[in-house]
Amino acid sequence: MNQSPIGSTSVDDHPPLRAVVFDAVGTVLHPQPDVVTAYHEIGRQHGSSLSRDEVGRRFREAFTSRAETELETSDAIEYEFWRYVVGKVFRDVVDPEACFRQLHEHFAQPTSWRFDSETERVLTALGLRGVVRCIASNFDARLDGILDASPVGPLFDHRVISSKIGYRKPHRRFYEIVLETCGTTAAETLFIGDEPAADREGPAQLGCRALLLDPGCSGEENCVTQLRDVLCFLEAN
Ligand SMILES: O=C(O)COP(=O)(O)O
């Protein structure tokens, strides 16, 4: 077990943890191949001659251009956002709409994703302790199909998906709905995820405990390097 700083978080005054809420993409779920490789390959099939590096640069620019204030959503809004991203990345494809549809469908396929190798073990261990396990994601309704196709899917007691509830992380309402869904108070609930604003600061503002998952963190408070550190955190709290 690596020495992450989880023990440094003293929460003696908190009630026991009764729920763990996992972010999806970048935490328990990873695209295979990675997003840039998939975009580059599918773009190429549609006539794009962009380099992989250029695809990556354009993707990051388009993806991060989303206003932090636009946190209300729906499946239609998510669909249009992804159409916008693909359009920003590829201006040299023969049929932009066909390219977009293929990419959108690609990321709906369970075979385009893999679960972190520790997910099943961590969820099973939490279940044996009677801890509620929730997946809470800014991904859209495509996540349902991916979870339904995996043995990992039924190990989550609840799913909260932003496009279905109308709010994206870090909108406060998103976390409130997670708590209502889990039936736990903020202090009884631990969030874990790879995005500081969405997965750590957002839930912490409501009084939840929250861990950033970052393989590169060292010594930082409320940051762990691997998924199974959640179990150590529960032991220590
Ligand atoms: O924005 C996304 O699609 C990623 O969503 P997630 O990291 O909250 O699962």
Side-chain angles (χ1 to χ4, degrees), residues 22-27 29 63 66 78 81-82 113 135-140 142-143 162 168-169 174 194-195 198-199:
F22 296 85
D23 167 54
V25 181
T27 302
L29 193 62
F63 184 73
R66 198 167 194 178
E78 293 304 308
F81 172 70
W82 289 113
W113 298 90
I135 188 163
S137 174
N138 275 349
F139 195 13
D140 53 42
R142 289 174 289 178
L143 180 57
S162 58
R168 293 171 51 77
K169 297 179 260 185
F174 181 96
D194 68 319
E195 290 174 42
D199 302 319

Side-chain angles (χ1 to χ4, degrees), residues 22-195:
F22 296 85
D23 167 54
V25 181
T27 302
V28 295
L29 193 62
H30 303 277
Q32 60 165 17
D34 65 88
V35 171
V36 175
T37 300
Y39 266 65
H40 182 238
E41 172 56 25
I42 291 173
R44 211 183 48 76
Q45 289 172 25
H46 286 267
S48 171
S49 55
L50 293 180
S51 70
R52 190 183 174 285
D53 283 354
E54 182 61 11
V55 169
R57 196 190 63 71
R58 292 187 186 194
F59 176 84
R60 281 185 290 278
E61 191 175 299
F63 184 73
T64 56
S65 69
R66 198 167 194 178
E68 290 291 313
T69 47
E70 286 170 16
L71 295 175
E72 293 188 15
T73 190
S74 65
D75 269 314
I77 289 173
E78 293 304 308
Y79 192 76
E80 284 313 314
F81 172 70
W82 289 113
R83 192 204 298 273
Y84 162 82
V85 170
V86 174
K88 280 287 189 193
V89 174
F90 296 115
R91 293 187 208 109
D92 62 344
V93 291
V94 178
D95 183 345
E97 184 61 18
C99 181
F100 160 66
R101 289 215 182 118
Q102 189 175 337
L103 273 163
H104 197 268
E105 185 53 30
H106 169 84
F107 288 107
Q109 295 306 316
T111 49
S112 301
W113 298 90
R114 67 171 178 86
F115 282 88
D116 182 283
S117 58
E118 295 178 353
T119 310
E120 205 163 334
R121 184 167 85 78
V122 169
L123 291 173
T124 302
L126 292 175
L128 289 171
R129 293 172 196 210
V131 174
V132 175
R133 302 152 301 180
C134 180
I135 188 163
S137 174
N138 275 349
F139 195 13
D140 53 42
R142 289 174 289 178
L143 180 57
D144 270 331
I146 295 159
L147 288 167
D148 288 343
S150 167
V152 170
L155 297 177
F156 289 106
D157 302 296
H158 303 293
R159 302 174 185 178
V160 177
I161 298 174
S162 58
S163 66
K164 296 169 90 173
I165 63 165
Y167 301 94
R168 293 171 51 77
K169 297 179 260 185
H171 195 294
R172 185 180 179 88
R173 189 72 194 119
F174 181 96
Y175 310 109
E176 289 172 349
I177 291 171
V178 170
L179 296 178
E180 288 161 17
T181 304
C182 291
T184 50
T185 65
E188 293 170 332
T189 309
L190 172 69
F191 282 71
I192 179 165
D194 68 319
E195 290 174 42

Side-chain angles (χ1 to χ4, degrees), residues 11 13-15 17 172 175-176 179 184-191 200-210 233:
V11 287
D13 51 340
H14 280 288
L17 285 164
R172 185 180 179 88
Y175 310 109
E176 289 172 349
L179 296 178
T184 50
T185 65
E188 293 170 332
T189 309
L190 172 69
F191 282 71
R200 186 171 62 180
E201 276 82 54
Q205 281 197 354
L206 273 83
C208 301
R209 280 174 275 178
F233 188 88

